[in-house]
Amino acid sequence: MASRQRSRLRRTLLTALVAASVAVPTAGAARPAAVPAPAPAELGPLTRATAGELDARYAANRDAVRAAERAAADYGDRKRAAALRAMAGRDRNFLSFDGRDGGRSVEVVGDLARAEHIAVLVPGSGTALGSERFREGAVALQRRLGERAAVLAWLGYSTPATASAAAITPGRAEEAAPGLRDLVGKLRAAKPASRLTLLCHSYGSVVCAKAAPGLPVAGIVLYGSPGTGADSAADLRTTATVWAGRGKSDWIARVPHVRVPLPFGELGFGTDPSSPEFGARVFGAGDGGHSDYLVPGSVPLKQLASIVMGREPADA
């Protein structure tokens, strides 16, 4: 039975590889990484995250977003220019921004200077610079948490396309993990009394798993996860409480939870984090689908907010 399952998974993943090899070249001309952007100004290290220090960083990064917008407009990419124009609004605050190579950003929702609880959203495949859905989720979570909490929407890596070989291999996550560790280290130094929690969606759970060993956070939440590349929560080598949840209509449940070694690497991410074998604390995530975890008023949004605040989810 196990042999047949591995064979079936191998065929499924190889089919995905073939599809990706066809799709990627035809889409290459429109890839965001091709749109030029100037290098952002060098900013000093984040020290105490006071209101004055943060306001100066926000202003500098707003200027960097506007410069990237002008470059995108000159390049002729109206869609990207419009997205960057929205990001440069006075109601948007970025702890960091770099428009090059597709773009990287850390957006702050809420008052980071006063925050006692900080959630870092780590997105999965298909999330791009200026993604409205990603920002809307951060806004919805921060509103649920209240004024003494801040949410950081961390787009610190080149996320894989959903239907691509990169989405079923750990390479992008391995590249992303040092950046996530760096952000957490800076937050811990600047806000030593604040409670930090990583909220890791879909492929973002692979990123969090790669960054997890020794990371100074209170919780690591894996939701809508295809697996992490680890066999168990203990293998993440973290003192943080590891949580897992999956909506009842999330298609990710149909992904085979095994790892298959191939000559060029490994495909798949192993044990289902929501399974008893993994050993995470499981929370109920409602009836929603893969993109519904941060929908205002939803069960998973309420549960995630409880975990960020250090409270027990209703049905943990």
Side-chain angles (χ1 to χ4, degrees), residues 45-58 95 108 111-115 118 150 152 186-192 194:
L46 185 68
T47 55
R48 293 181 296 143
T50 61
E53 181 185 10
L54 289 170
D55 285 345
R57 293 183 77 88
Y58 296 158
L95 197 63
V108 178
D111 188 347
L112 182 57
R114 299 171 60 218
I118 301 171
L152 273 59
K186 289 175 178 175
L187 288 172
R188 176 54 64 213
K191 301 283 296 181
S194 296

Side-chain angles (χ1 to χ4, degrees), residues 211-280:
L215 206 62
V217 295
I220 297 175
V221 189
L222 314 169
Y223 57 103
S225 174
T228 64
D231 292 329
S232 68
D235 288 342
L236 299 182
R237 293 181 288 135
T238 177
T239 58
T241 302
V242 180
W243 296 88
R246 185 175 63 224
K248 292 180 181 178
S249 299
D250 191 338
W251 58 261
I252 207 78
R254 298 192 295 273
V255 172
H257 289 284
V258 296
R259 293 200 303 273
V260 178
L262 292 175
F264 52 84
E266 190 173 70
L267 301 182
F269 301 114
T271 310
D272 178 0
S274 298
S275 69
E277 293 79 15
F278 191 76

Side-chain angles (χ1 to χ4, degrees), residues 2-120:
S3 177
R4 286 200 300 271
Q5 186 184 36
R6 285 194 296 270
S7 178
R8 186 163 55 250
L9 176 65
R10 193 185 299 265
R11 288 197 301 271
T12 299
L13 296 178
L14 287 174
T15 299
L17 277 174
V18 172
S21 69
V22 173
V24 170
T26 60
R31 293 181 66 191
V35 182
E42 289 288 337
L43 300 178
L46 185 68
T47 55
R48 293 181 296 143
T50 61
E53 181 185 10
L54 289 170
D55 285 345
R57 293 183 77 88
Y58 296 158
N61 285 315
R62 192 171 292 117
D63 288 343
V65 175
R66 288 173 177 150
E69 177 201 341
R70 291 191 293 271
D74 291 343
Y75 186 76
D77 192 327
R78 296 180 181 178
K79 182 178 179 180
R80 186 173 178 84
L84 290 164
R85 192 175 309 118
M87 290 173 65
R90 286 289 176 185
D91 61 335
R92 308 284 293 270
N93 295 314
F94 290 88
L95 197 63
S96 65
F97 174 85
D98 188 339
R100 297 172 297 177
D101 189 30
R104 309 286 188 272
S105 67
V106 181
E107 182 166 8
V108 178
V109 181
D111 188 347
L112 182 57
R114 299 171 60 218
E116 298 170 358
H117 299 83
I118 301 171
V120 179

Side-chain angles (χ1 to χ4, degrees), residues 111-243:
D111 188 347
L112 182 57
R114 299 171 60 218
E116 298 170 358
H117 299 83
I118 301 171
V120 179
L121 295 183
V122 181
S125 59
T127 306
L129 192 71
S131 168
E132 281 302 311
R133 176 175 287 176
F134 187 39
R135 180 174 189 266
E136 287 166 0
V139 170
L141 177 61
Q142 195 282 325
R143 286 176 177 169
R144 179 81 199 187
L145 292 169
E147 63 180 12
R148 286 293 186 176
V151 177
L152 273 59
W154 180 80
L155 183 62
Y157 74 115
S158 176
T159 65
T162 302
S164 71
I168 51 177
T169 58
R172 295 287 180 90
E174 290 166 352
E175 293 171 2
L180 181 57
R181 290 182 62 86
D182 182 65
L183 173 67
V184 170
K186 289 175 178 175
L187 288 172
R188 176 54 64 213
K191 301 283 296 181
S194 296
R195 178 185 177 89
L196 301 181
T197 306
L198 298 185
L199 301 184
C200 318
H201 179 237
S202 193
Y203 188 87
S205 63
V206 188
V207 177
C208 288
K210 298 297 182 184
L215 206 62
V217 295
I220 297 175
V221 189
L222 314 169
Y223 57 103
S225 174
T228 64
D231 292 329
S232 68
D235 288 342
L236 299 182
R237 293 181 288 135
T238 177
T239 58
T241 302
V242 180
W243 296 88

